[in-house]
């Protein structure tokens, strides 16, 4: 089980790993109580449901942090056919929280989606699950079967007259399908390429119908909002940053894994929970919100709290909560080369700046890393970045550029050293010593 | 209306307009590649990024809707920086070798790179290479040049109706390609060449044969189907090198069918006749024009004197010009005969003398898009009028319900509301059922005594819902042995529905033939009787009877038996060399002035775009001289315009006297259930010019005809698909391969007409037998 620790566990409270995912265990943890309260107990209207979610200031957990209640309220009331989509195409390097949610608590996502479906008036929902976690797609199907059998899905749910069904749909591992409109294209059976917006999915979405798309963790938090009450959920976090959040901590810490902490928890506290820096080495920098968020140097991140506003103030993004911790053995040029390769590889190829630009960016960084950098390369990288960011159909262009801008802002001297001396500022043997992979190989581990 | 300001220029645009549309309205050019007014918005090239007031980022003009009070800056620092940035990205992987690219000189990327490109490249890495794809005989690829604008993909899907192209792979590995190992076979595929903004897709026949700046661009009109598509014919040293569409929103929009685009290759055929030829003592000899014309005048006069004027007959191609048709008619009548016809593939002439006017489309071509209910009767529409099929597709996209009655379940690449597929002999009865059903639904009296079948009821139910319905009779319906009945029934249905009714018309001058009176006006013989009752002398204007007539076998026998056969044609053929006595080289459409009257009755006159080849002369001049030599009155024309003005009484945009009505009642008769022939006229065999266009002859549409039957018919005959079979009609026979075709009704054999392989068979309709060869 990859949930390591929590402060005031709410979302992950009562999880029992693989033994606790099923309906019986979920109901024992208080599962489906929120749904019952809304549909049959307090008989809340859809507007009241949305108002409560607005009150909780639950913000989208997929990366953009858009207020969930507000998003739901954009759905046109009169449309006869509307859809709800859950985005579990978790593909951002460093992010591994939604897979745990689907593994250990799939019913929370189902319950959250039914409540959301009721609030926005959807006739059906789809959960788009990343292709590389196929076993969780199968588990989600099993959970859906349980929910259907128990009368939580289908016609006349809990005798309330509300009809809603939910389906699982697995992708094939393309990062771009995590972009919500590419995800919709993929569900429709087309090549996963983002759509131009406007129109936004709330007006023209899946199969041309109004559609609401939320992240897995966002849906999982919805039952919690109604169990605790919107105000209490908000107070769990900071003002304008309601609730708790899962953070996927990876990199050079002693205990990498998922942590549930209230928004606003100091980074230092999160690092401490993760067992501190591996081998007591010095912290060099942190990528705080998945690979596309700009790196924050050690001294700055230690002053940050883990919430949308504080990280934004430090010049980065909380994103999906993927915290990649890097210690002093890391060569930032090599790290950036690997990140750039990812965006080059995953660009869908639809629009010019990203299709052509991501490859060019990677090729330049690759050159620098391999001792063939030119003095003008760093300015060229920034200028090309400026020609990509904000010029593309979707945000992948921006995502490819932000890590470069962050690295050059905080670690430019390392790049200059690389260009001038045709080698790393961090000596090779230091890098090797810091590489788990390298030390394990040296110790004779199997690949 | 919305107020918008573009670069300080204020204007009003309609609600729903995009910024690029507004800019074009204001006369401001915004650079773009993927945007095309006829295609969906892709917004992928990003070249049209402009600055919009209050927007933090530049926005794509093609995809940004105008809002009231919007201020747009297309040349501001932010806009130009964005555009230049995109241009740099477009060029990094694009070969910078314009001098060896076929698109050089007419390339959107080349043109825009002058304005937005840098003088040097900052990209010093290796460029991407993309392997070429085989799209078939018409479109050549140079995929390394592709900028992934997806115009070709969107065209095949949205306009041609079938997504034959797609984009595979991701990032800068993305490649535009047809489906694996498939070619692009659409009958309007050539348009992707015009759409391609770079040199990735170019014309295979034209490629590397000339540079665009060496070519003269001249206007002309397509001589094939009834649409009369407007052309730009490009010539170099009086040789036609290429044909492109001339945009005309009312006719062909910005498209061309492949037939209109590539048939020019036939103009340069080795079969061109370049000097008059006379057969003497069984031997062909080249002759001077005056000698040949004297010979013709004497021969015709002799036949008329010896056997009576009625022994002379003329068959005129419906692809001939209005002027040629009129002069041919005048010539024949001057001799004292009335035996002339241009309706070569028609077999039912029962409405002759009863018509209220010339049969025509019954509406403007552009009105087809507006129809909300359509019934298409007896038409291989995609192969008959490719661009009308495209218009129906657009109508269907906008919600029009299309219904079909036909003898083959042809895929129109349109969603159909209802259809009824029956053997040809049952078409009239089926249409009568629709009339009956529609009458009942409209609570109108109907004297037809037919039992209404379920498909007829479904079609009628679909049609009565409409407020702007159209009934269209295809070429197949026009060639049908009960064509008159079908037309009368269609008219009747139109009256019941308050709908428009039209005849699609097979050829460029199918309406013009009526206007020019190239058909019997009194007691003359029509095309069928001209063949069935052989004449002593024939004048053939652009006609190859063994391929162009409803009964090619009888037609060939008739001309072979004649004493004198005068051929006026741009081409010689083995058959003509056998049956003709004189061959006079007359100009194809590119080498003469003339006019076509399109299916909507539009008169389109054109000038020659090239000098006549060799001693070829324009047909109207040849007929004019012949008239003079025969000492006939009224042949003193100075120009083809004189001829036209005499026929039309001036230069009207549309001809008068168009009317599909007829003073006749329908009595649909169904034949017995024998094995019936279903004959189509394949797209690229329909006329003498296209038959000689080599690239078109390499397409899948030009495959050798087979004997096509459905599984039931094959089983009944004990024949397997692929077996060689002997098909027989009367005394005629042909050996063809049997082919499974699930689109046919039981008891039907589809054998194409107009092809040498089937020319020995009889009429296009009627009984046929099939046996193992």
């Amino acid at each position: 089980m990859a949930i390591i620790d929590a402060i005031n566990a709410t979302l992950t409270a009562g999880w029992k790993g693989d033994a606790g995912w099923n309906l019986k265990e979920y109901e024992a943890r208080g599962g489906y109580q929120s749904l019952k309260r809304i549909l049959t107990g307090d008989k809340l209207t859809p507007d009241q449901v949305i108002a409560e979610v607005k009150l909780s200031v639950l913000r989208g957990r997929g990366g953009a942090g858009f207020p969930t209640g507000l998003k739901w309220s954009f759905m046109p009331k009169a449309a006869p056919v509307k859809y709800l989509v859950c985005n579990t195409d978790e593909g951002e390097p460093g992010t591994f929280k939604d897979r745990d949610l689907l593994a250990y608590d799939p019913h929370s996502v189902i319950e959250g989606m039914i409540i959301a479906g009721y609030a926005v008036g959807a006739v059906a929902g789809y959960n788009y699950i990343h292709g590389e976690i196929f076993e969780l797609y199968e588990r989600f199907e099993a959970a859906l079967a349980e929910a259907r059998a128990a009368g939580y899905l289908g016609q006349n749910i809990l005798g309330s007259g509300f009809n809603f069904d939910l389906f699982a749909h697995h992708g094939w591992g393309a990062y771009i399908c995590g972009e919500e409109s590419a995800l919709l294209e993929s569900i429709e059976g087309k090549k996963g390429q983002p759509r131009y917006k406007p129109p936004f999915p709330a007006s023209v979405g899946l199969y041309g119908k109004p559609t609401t798309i939320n992240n897995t963790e966002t849906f999982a938090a919805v039952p919690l909002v109604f169990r605790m009450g919107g105000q209490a959920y908000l107070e769990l976090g900071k003002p304008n940053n309601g609730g708790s959040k899962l953070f996927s901590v990876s990199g050079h810490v002693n205990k990498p894994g998922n942590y549930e902490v209230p928004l606003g928890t100091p980074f230092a506290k999160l690092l401490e929970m993760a067992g501190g820096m591996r081998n007591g080495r010095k912290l060099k920098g942190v990528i705080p919100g998945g690979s596309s968020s700009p790196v924050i140097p050690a001294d700055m991140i230690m002053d940050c709290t883990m919430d949308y506003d504080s990280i934004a103030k430090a010049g980065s993004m909380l994103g999906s909560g993927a915290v990649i911790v890097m210690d002093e053995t890391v060569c930032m040029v090599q790290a950036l080369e690997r990140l750039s390769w990812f965006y080059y590889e995953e660009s869908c190829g639809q629009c010019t700046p990203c299709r052509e630009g991501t490859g060019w960016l990677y090729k330049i960084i690759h050159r620098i890393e391999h001792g063939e950098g030119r003095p003008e390369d760093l300015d060229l990288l920034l200028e090309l970045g400026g020609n990509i960011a904000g010029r593309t159909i979707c945000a992948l262009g921006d995502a490819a550029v932000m890590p470069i801008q962050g690295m050059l802002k905080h670690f430019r001297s390392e790049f200059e050293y690389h260009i001038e001396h045709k080698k790393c500022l961090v000596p090779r043997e230091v890098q090797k010593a810091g590489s788990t992979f390298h030390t394990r190989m040296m110790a004779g581990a199997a690949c | 209306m919305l107020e918008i300001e573009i670069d300080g220029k204020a204007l009003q645009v309609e609600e729903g307009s995009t910024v690029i549309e507004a800019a074009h309205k204001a006369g401001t050019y915004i650079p773009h590649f993927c945007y095309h007014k006829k295609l969906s918005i892709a917004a992928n090239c990003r070249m049209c990024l402009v600055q919009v007031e209050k927007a933090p980022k530049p926005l794509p003009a093609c995809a940004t809707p105008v809002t009231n009070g919007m201020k747009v800056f297309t040349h501001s620092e932010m806009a130009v920086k964005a555009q230049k940035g995109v241009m740099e990205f477009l060029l990094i992987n694009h070969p910078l070798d314009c001098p060896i690219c076929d698109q050089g000189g007419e390339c959107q990327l080349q043109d825009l790179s002058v304005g937005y490109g840098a003088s040097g490249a900052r990209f010093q890495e290796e460029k991407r290479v993309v392997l070429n794809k085989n799209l078939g005989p018409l479109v050549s690829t140079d995929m390394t040049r592709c900028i992934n604008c997806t115009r070709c993909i969107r065209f095949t899907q949205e306009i041609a109706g079938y997504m034959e192209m797609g984009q595979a792979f991701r990032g800068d590995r993305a490649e535009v390609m047809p489906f694996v190992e498939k070619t692009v076979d659409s009958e309007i595929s050539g348009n992707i060449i015009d759409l391609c903004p770079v040199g990735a897709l170019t014309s295979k026949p034209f490629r590397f044969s000339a540079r665009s700046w060496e070519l003269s661009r001249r206007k002309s009109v397509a001589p094939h189907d009834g649409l009369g598509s407007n052309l730009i014919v490009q010539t170099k040293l009086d040789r036609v090198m290429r044909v492109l569409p001339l945009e005309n929103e009312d006719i062909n929009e910005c498209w061309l069918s492949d037939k209109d685009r590539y048939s020019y290759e036939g103009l340069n055929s080795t079969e061109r006749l370049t000097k008059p030829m006379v057969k003497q003592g069984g031997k062909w000899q080249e002759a001077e024009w005056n000698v040949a014309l004297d010979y013709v005048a004497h021969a015709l006069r002799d036949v008329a004197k010896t056997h009576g004027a009625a022994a002379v007959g003329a068959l005129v191609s419906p692809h001939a010009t209005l002027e040629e048709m009129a002069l041919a008619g005048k010539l024949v009548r001057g001799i004292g005969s009335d035996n002339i016809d241009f309706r070569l593939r028609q077999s039912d002439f029962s409405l002759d003398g009863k018509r209220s006017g010339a049969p025509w489309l019954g509406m403007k071509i552009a009105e087809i898009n507006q129809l909300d209910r359509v019934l298409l009767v007896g038409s291989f529409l995609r192969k008959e009028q490719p661009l009308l099929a495209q218009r129906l597709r657009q109508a269907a996209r906008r919600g029009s319900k299309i219904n079909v009655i036909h003898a083959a379940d042809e895929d129109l690449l349109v969603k159909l509301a209802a259809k009824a597929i029956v053997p040809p002999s049952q078409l009239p009865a089926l249409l009568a059922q629709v009339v009956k059903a529609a009458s009942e639904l409209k609570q109108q009296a109907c004297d037809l005594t037919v039992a209404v079948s379920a498909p007829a009821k479904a079609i009628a139910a679909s049609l009565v819902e409409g407020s702007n319905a159209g009934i269209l009779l295809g070429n197949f319906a026009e060639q049908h042995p009960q064509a008159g009945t079908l037309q009368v029934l269609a008219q009747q249905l139109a009256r019941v529905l308050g709908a428009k009714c039209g005849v699609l018309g097979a050829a460029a001058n199918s309406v013009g033939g009526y206007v020019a009176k190239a058909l019997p006006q009194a007691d003359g013989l029509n095309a069928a009787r001209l063949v069935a009752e052989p004449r002593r002398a024939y004048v053939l204007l652009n006609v190859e009877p063994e391929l162009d007539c409803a009964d090619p076998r009888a037609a060939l026998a008739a001309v072979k038996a004649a004493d004198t056969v005068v051929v006026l044609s741009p081409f010689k053929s083995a058959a003509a060399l056998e049956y003709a006595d004189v061959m006079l080289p007359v100009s194809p459409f590119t080498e003469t002035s003339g006019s076509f009257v399109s299916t909507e009755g539009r008169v389109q006159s054109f000038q020659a775009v090239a000098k006549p080849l060799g001693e070829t002369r324009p047909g109207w001049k040849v007929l004019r001289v012949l008239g003079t030599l025969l000492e006939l009155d009224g042949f003193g024309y100075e120009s083809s315009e004189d001829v036209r003005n005499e026929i039309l009484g001036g230069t009207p945009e549309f001809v008068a006297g168009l009317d599909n009505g007829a003073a006749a009642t329908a009595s649909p008769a169904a034949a017995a259930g024998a094995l019936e022939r279903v004959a189509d006229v394949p797209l690229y065999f329909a006329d003498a010019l296209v038959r000689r266009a080599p690239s078109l002859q390499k397409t899948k549409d030009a495959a050798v005809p087979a004997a096509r039957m459905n599984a039931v018919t094959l089983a009944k005959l004990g024949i397997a698909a692929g077996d060689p079979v002997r098909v027989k009609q009367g005394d005629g026979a042909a050996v063809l391969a049997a082919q499974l075709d699930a689109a046919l009704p039981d008891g039907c054999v589809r054998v194409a007409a107009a092809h040498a392989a089937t020319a020995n068979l009889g009429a296009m309709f009627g009984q046929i037998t099939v046996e193992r060869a």
Side-chain angles (χ1 to χ4, degrees), chain B residues 603-656:
Chain B
V603 182
Q604 299 195 93
S605 296
F606 51 88
Q607 296 296 318
V609 299
K611 266 196 287 202
L613 187 68
E615 289 188 31
T616 302
R617 292 292 172 265
W620 74 268
K621 281 191 184 173
V622 173
L623 291 164
R624 178 202 162 301
V625 176
L626 258 182
T628 311
L629 284 175
L630 286 164
E631 293 165 9
L632 304 176
D633 287 337
F635 276 82
Y637 303 102
E638 294 282 318
S639 66
S640 70
E641 286 80 4
D642 282 355
V643 184
R644 180 196 63 202
N645 295 348
E646 183 180 288
I647 307 161
L648 301 175
T651 54
E653 195 183 355
F654 292 93
V655 296

Side-chain angles (χ1 to χ4, degrees), chain B residues 177-242:
Chain B
M177 56 170 72
F179 283 103
V180 185
E181 299 297 310
K182 296 228 163 82
T183 51
V184 173
D185 299 323
S186 163
E187 60 284 343
I188 55 175
S189 68
N191 293 299
I192 61 178
I193 298 166
D194 300 339
L195 287 172
C196 183
V198 296
L201 305 176
T202 53
S203 164
K204 213 171 235 183
F206 170 72
R207 190 170 149 90
F208 297 142
S209 63
R211 302 302 326 220
S212 60
W213 56 85
E214 301 174 305
L215 302 171
S216 307
R217 295 164 66 89
R218 293 181 178 140
K219 290 182 189 178
S220 192
V221 179
H224 301 293
D225 62 30
L227 213 62
S229 292
N230 289 188
L231 309 178
I232 293 171
V233 179
Q234 297 191 309
T235 61
K236 180 181 171 184
L237 305 174
D238 281 316
R239 185 183 165 96
V240 176
M241 304 299 291
R242 180 165 70 168

